[in-house]
Amino acid sequence: MPIARKSQSEIELMQEAGRILAITHHELAKEVKPGMSTRDIDTLGETIIRDYGCIPSFLNYCGYPASICVSVNDEVVHGIPSDKRIIQDGDIVSLDAGVIYKGYHSDAARTLIVGTVSEEAKRLVEVTRQSFFEGIRYARPGYHISDIGRAIQGYVESNGFSVVRDLVGHGVGRRLHEKPDIPNFADRKKGPRIKPGMTLAIEPMVNAGEYDVVWLEDDWTVVTEDGSLSAHYENTILVTNDEPVILSRAEGIEL
Ligand code: MF3
Ligand code: CO
């Protein structure tokens, strides 16, 4: 199967999915506080998603047992919400969520700062966010998929952090994960040529220490091997003939 290129009507549905997802992240960011459990965050997120008439795309995806991936501090991605895991002042909390609107997916992640965090944590979160914007500059015709990751990696490493190698971004649309894979590092393969109509989830995962990660016994939670902090930032975007368009955004809400 070739890489899907979306029609105007498909793009409109993905835009609406993305708008609702951006609102979901915004609402969660306002609510996350010390004392809350990671399961509370998931429950709230699922309620918001359903209130907007969407389906949480992660719930039961390959057996994943929640709607929001909540990954705290050294957890990189895919943390499983739990009543026992309580958010503390000083934590960084990565929230990854996906919604389905009329059969179309949007996928986005944000890393929240809770209370007073270290200078390093603040810088990590900001560098991770900015690395997405460095990468998206190459999401346009004339470039290859690997150009995105090369830009992300260059920016992250010039800031003294490292980019996770074992997980990648992806196409998104009819399904949560479509072709192509989008590494956040300079892969040896150039990857496909970027074409208008492609919808991509670009999602740098950045560690304060080394890039190595390990999976916990729950088979989901990915943590840094060296115990260093990790941050995640992701948007669903559309490639056009000129500037790429961020689909997972809503008017008046900061990216
Ligand atoms: N946003 C995640 C990704 O693209 C999807 C999480 S899969 C789940 O990798 F199963 F955890 F939901
Ligand atoms: Co994703």
Side-chain angles (χ1 to χ4, degrees):
M1 267 242 295
I3 297 169
R5 295 167 66 182
K6 275 72 175 181
S7 67
Q8 192 51 42
S9 61
E10 291 181 293
I11 290 164
E12 279 163 25
L13 297 176
M14 289 188 68
Q15 186 104 61
E16 182 59 8
R19 191 183 72 85
I20 293 164
L21 182 52
I23 293 170
T24 303
H25 272 299
H26 182 65
E27 293 299 314
L28 287 173
K30 285 195 288 190
E31 291 304 320
V32 170
K33 294 194 176 69
M36 230 174 154
S37 76
T38 56
R39 179 56 78 177
D40 293 334
I41 297 172
D42 173 59
T43 304
L44 180 60
E46 177 171 0
T47 304
I48 299 166
I49 291 167
R50 293 198 190 279
D51 281 351
Y52 279 95
C54 290
I55 298 168
S57 42
F58 296 176
L59 186 60
N60 301 320
Y61 179 85
C62 300
Y64 185 76
S67 298
I68 315 284
C69 297
V70 186
S71 309
V72 184
N73 296 336
D74 64 322
E75 295 171 352
V76 179
V77 287
H78 304 167
I80 298 179
S82 159
D83 293 322
K84 296 196 191 82
R85 186 72 193 262
I86 308 299
I87 301 297
Q88 316 280 337
D89 187 278
D91 284 345
I92 61 170
V93 182
S94 301
L95 302 182
D96 190 354
V99 308
I100 310 170
Y101 177 75
K102 298 192 177 169
Y104 284 85
H105 292 254
S106 192
D107 185 6
R110 303 284 182 262
T111 299
L112 307 178
I113 280 173
V114 181
T116 311
V117 307
S118 67
E119 279 309 310
E120 181 188 56
K122 259 191 245 172
R123 205 165 63 78
L124 176 68
V125 170
E126 185 44 36
V127 166
T128 305
R129 178 182 166 282
Q130 185 57 36
S131 74
F132 164 87
F133 290 95
E134 300 298 323
I136 195 184
R137 293 166 52 206
Y138 296 88
R140 48 197 300 164
Y143 294 104
H144 289 79
I145 286 292
S146 63
D147 294 320
I148 297 172
R150 183 173 306 105
I152 291 172
Q153 179 182 18
Y155 179 76
V156 166
E157 292 182 355
S158 74
N159 280 281
F161 298 135
S162 63
V163 164
V164 172
R165 306 287 200 273
D166 292 353
L167 297 132
V168 296
H170 51 93
V172 57
R174 235 18 230 179
R175 286 176 295 117
L176 174 59
H177 293 134
E178 300 184 348
K179 289 198 302 183
D181 281 353
I182 309 176
N184 297 300
F185 49 93
D187 207 9
R188 282 180 22 246
K189 292 178 294 227
K190 274 164 87 173
R193 282 175 199 284
I194 296 175
K195 303 240 170 81
M198 287 181 177
T199 45
L200 308 173
I202 299 176
E203 52 177 319
M205 289 150 267
V206 177
N207 297 348
E210 302 298 320
Y211 63 71
D212 311 78
V213 299
V214 290
W215 269 255
L216 297 185
E217 270 91 283
D218 63 18
D219 278 341
W220 279 107
T221 313
V222 180
V223 300
T224 58
E225 189 169 66
D226 61 9
S228 65
L229 295 175
S230 187
H232 186 200
Y233 185 87
E234 173 181 27
N235 283 303
T236 297
I237 68 133
L238 167 70
V239 178
T240 73
N241 275 315
D242 46 39
E243 291 293 305
V245 177
I246 296 175
L247 297 174
S248 48
R249 76 181 306 163
E251 222 180 291
I253 293 179
E254 241 184 86
L255 279 165

